[in-house]
Amino acid sequence: MKREPLSFKQTVYLLILFIIGSTIILPVGTEAKQDIWAAVLLAIVMTLPVVLVYARILSLYPERNLLEINEQILGKVVGRFINFLFAFYAFTLCALVLDNFGQFINVTAIPETPLAIPMLILCLLALWATKEGLEVIARSGEVYLPIIVFVATFTFLFLTPNLNINRLQPSLYQNSGGIVSAALHLFSFPFAETVIFTIIIYCTNKTKAMAKVYLAGLLIGGGIILLSVTSVMAVIGPERYQASYFPAYLAVQTINVGDFLQRVEVVVFLIAIFAGFIKISLCFFAACKGLSNALGCKEYRFLTVPLGLLEFLFASNLFNSTKQMAQWASEVYLYFAFPFQVALPMVIWILGEVKRRGRQGSPEVDLHDELR
Amino acid sequence: MPSFQNRQELVNELEYHYFIFLLFSIFGIVEAIQLYHQKQRKELTIYLFLLLPGLVITVYTATQVGLPSIAEELGSWFGWMSQ
């Protein structure tokens, strides 16, 4: 399979955009109410060991991605079956994000247009980006992230007069259950979704680089999420945050600087779509790559059109309403994602360590020679 | 799938499903011919195996009104979501 190397900067940028993705538009961690900042911090702490496991898996087998590592560790048949499961997860995640953005665009901007139209446009863009390859998606990320950071900073500055610190109080008062529950939801969406990156990227010879990439992406992306949700909560308060499907949009609607700077919600709209495009493209890329590996094909690009059509159909028939989408995200997603985000990577990591140590014990076999 | 209030809504729904069907059919035919000429038979088989059901589902969803969503259907099987 043709390698598409990414630089450290490009990978970290992609990770940040992936984490920001749909998180900035959706009401995440609603159970924590005014203590949402604590839930985000707890979720980051919970994700740290998991992303280190992801990084370790990739470091164990340099120059290989998770799909190739699975085949190496578990054998061809079981490995490809596991790869198929990961491809299914990436496919489902792509459909969910596509649906999130379709609903967001439909509800906030073009309510008269059928929901499927924005979804189709996003799907075609992701299909095109995947056909062009990972480098093109990474370069798009390099262009988008500085714009997003610049615009988000100004939006935050304009939002500061509306911040009401009283809305974040009482702080940590008889709400530990809510914080833990919100942290678990934040762990599964968006932080541990970065498992998708193990399919996309591979480790170069520097074993510590992978951990640095993951930690940098998680901490910067997590920091942005922390700042974003806390300021949204401080602007609209826990009740409206919980009741709204797109709270960030609602918060930015309150910006009014001297009656001449208003309706800047279009900015949030653009940020969300940039980040969402990257997340959808990466998930779709991972789904195509996973499926091509599971079917024993060397190239993944030929799968983009048929899988793109199935992706669109799956996303457009996934939920009937925004309420159903929110309900699914809060009640089902955590349990659905757990095997792919934690259980399978843990099993692969343990088997990888055991196999590696077994090989290092026998003097005849050099692991790196065998890998090449 | 939404239920339609009037005939115009149904026509709109049919129109964009027709557009999607046409779009992916054209893409599909072009790429299938390309794969055939490159003698990538395995890839061509997989390609058609994935594309044709997609096109059939597009036609099916266009002609059906009030289909339950996938989440609803799975929810009723596994008792996931509170209705």
Side-chain angles (χ1 to χ4, degrees):
Chain A
M1 207 171 275
K2 195 190 155 206
R3 299 278 178 210
E4 294 178 281
L6 298 182
S7 68
F8 178 85
K9 185 180 152 192
Q10 283 176 327
T11 319
V12 174
Y13 275 26
L14 282 183
L15 253 170
I16 296 168
L17 284 167
F18 188 87
I19 289 173
I20 296 172
S22 42
T23 321
I24 52 166
I25 57 162
L26 293 173
V28 287
T30 46
E31 301 92 334
K33 294 179 182 166
Q34 70 278 7
D35 296 324
I36 194 159
W37 56 271
V40 177
L41 286 175
L42 185 61
I44 293 173
V45 171
M46 284 160 77
T47 317
L48 279 173
V50 178
V51 294
L52 288 176
V53 167
Y54 300 161
R56 179 67 185 155
I57 292 170
L58 292 175
S59 306
L60 279 174
Y61 293 85
E63 304 284 332
R64 293 187 174 215
N65 60 27
L66 184 71
L67 306 171
E68 293 159 324
I69 293 170
N70 284 345
E71 269 191 60
Q72 177 82 26
I73 295 174
L74 305 163
K76 233 170 196 176
V77 179
V78 182
R80 282 186 179 174
F81 176 70
I82 298 294
N83 290 345
F84 179 78
L85 292 181
F86 273 108
F88 171 72
Y89 175 62
F91 181 82
T92 316
L93 184 58
C94 182
L96 287 169
V97 182
L98 204 58
D99 189 72
N100 291 159
F101 278 91
Q103 303 264 11
F104 176 64
I105 297 169
N106 189 250
V107 169
T108 56
I110 41 175
E112 297 295 316
T113 310
L115 173 65
I117 300 300
M119 272 155 98
L120 178 70
I121 292 167
L122 281 171
C123 187
L124 288 176
L125 275 175
L127 194 154
W128 185 12
T130 305
K131 234 180 171 38
E132 292 299 320
L134 186 59
E135 279 182 67
V136 173
I137 303 173
R139 281 203 295 271
S140 313
E142 264 186 302
V143 174
Y144 292 159
L145 191 68
I147 299 172
I148 291 173
V149 170
F150 178 78
V151 171
T153 310
F154 272 91
T155 312
F156 180 71
L157 287 176
F158 290 139
L159 211 55
T160 39
N162 302 339
L163 294 177
N164 184 354
I165 207 78
N166 291 331
R167 294 201 175 103
L168 297 176
Q169 287 172 344
S171 196
L172 302 174
Y173 178 72
Q174 293 185 344
N175 192 19
S176 52
I179 293 172
V180 173
S181 170
L184 280 171
H185 280 103
L186 278 159
F187 167 81
S188 71
F189 167 73
F191 297 124
E193 282 177 351
T194 47
V195 68
I196 294 290
F197 268 75
T198 54
I199 300 173
I200 296 165
I201 52 174
Y202 55 91
C203 184
T204 52
N205 286 326
K206 294 171 192 164
T207 44
K208 283 189 180 166
M210 225 46 250
K212 279 186 190 167
V213 164
Y214 260 109
L215 288 178
L218 175 70
L219 294 177
I220 300 171
I224 295 171
I225 298 292
L226 177 69
L227 199 69
S228 155
V229 292
T230 312
S231 50
V232 169
M233 185 66 82
V235 171
I236 62 173
E239 288 81 21
R240 284 178 77 198
Y241 186 91
Q242 239 174 341
S244 170
Y245 292 126
F246 306 111
Y249 191 79
L250 204 66
V252 178
Q253 272 180 331
T254 63
I255 292 178
N256 184 358
V257 181
D259 279 339
F260 74 92
L261 192 69
Q262 308 176 43
R263 306 295 308 258
V264 286
E265 54 267 27
V266 70
V267 172
V268 170
F269 195 83
L270 277 176
I271 289 180
I273 292 182
F274 281 163
F277 160 69
I278 295 290
K279 189 165 181 178
I280 293 166
S281 302
L282 288 174
C283 291
F284 188 62
F285 180 86
C288 288
K289 212 154 182 178
L291 188 64
S292 75
N293 182 286
L295 296 170
C297 299
K298 286 182 179 162
E299 186 53 58
Y300 68 88
R301 285 183 173 86
F302 77 95
L303 284 172
T304 51
V305 171
L307 212 59
L309 174 62
L310 292 176
E311 189 74 75
F312 166 74
L313 290 169
F314 188 58
S316 56
N317 292 297
L318 200 50
F319 304 114
N320 270 344
S321 63
T322 315
K323 184 178 172 244
Q324 208 174 59
M325 177 187 86
Q327 201 185 356
W328 199 87
S330 64
E331 289 178 27
V332 184
Y333 184 71
L334 180 66
Y335 308 103
F336 166 74
F338 183 80
F340 304 103
Q341 293 176 345
V342 182
L344 280 174
M346 286 294 165
V347 172
I348 293 162
W349 171 52
I350 293 166
L351 288 175
E353 290 283 0
V354 169
K355 208 160 187 179
R356 187 176 184 240
R357 278 183 197 169
R359 288 232 170 92
Q360 276 178 340
S362 61
E364 295 87 10
V365 184
D366 182 17
L367 179 71
H368 288 282
D369 284 349
E370 195 185 302
L371 287 174
R372 281 173 226 291
Chain B
M1 295 293 293
S3 54
F4 303 107
Q5 302 297 318
N6 54 44
R7 195 172 174 280
Q8 189 55 46
E9 268 186 59
L10 177 64
V11 171
N12 291 345
E13 189 82 8
L14 280 174
E15 268 178 3
Y16 81 75
H17 271 97
Y18 174 70
F19 170 73
I20 291 159
F21 179 80
L22 203 66
L23 184 77
F24 280 95
S25 299
I26 293 167
F27 274 153
I29 290 165
V30 171
E31 274 206 323
I33 291 171
Q34 206 179 356
L35 287 171
Y36 179 78
H37 281 298
Q38 287 171 347
K39 297 201 187 327
Q40 293 178 304
R41 297 296 149 87
K42 186 184 169 189
E43 279 81 0
L44 179 64
T45 314
I46 294 168
Y47 189 87
L48 294 175
F49 184 76
L50 291 171
L51 185 74
L52 295 176
L55 293 174
V56 172
I57 296 168
T58 310
V59 175
Y60 178 73
T61 49
T63 52
Q64 299 294 311
V65 178
L67 277 176
S69 68
I70 294 169
E72 248 172 27
E73 204 60 30
L74 289 175
S76 65
W77 285 0
F78 298 105
W80 277 343
M81 284 156 54
S82 47
Q83 298 297 312

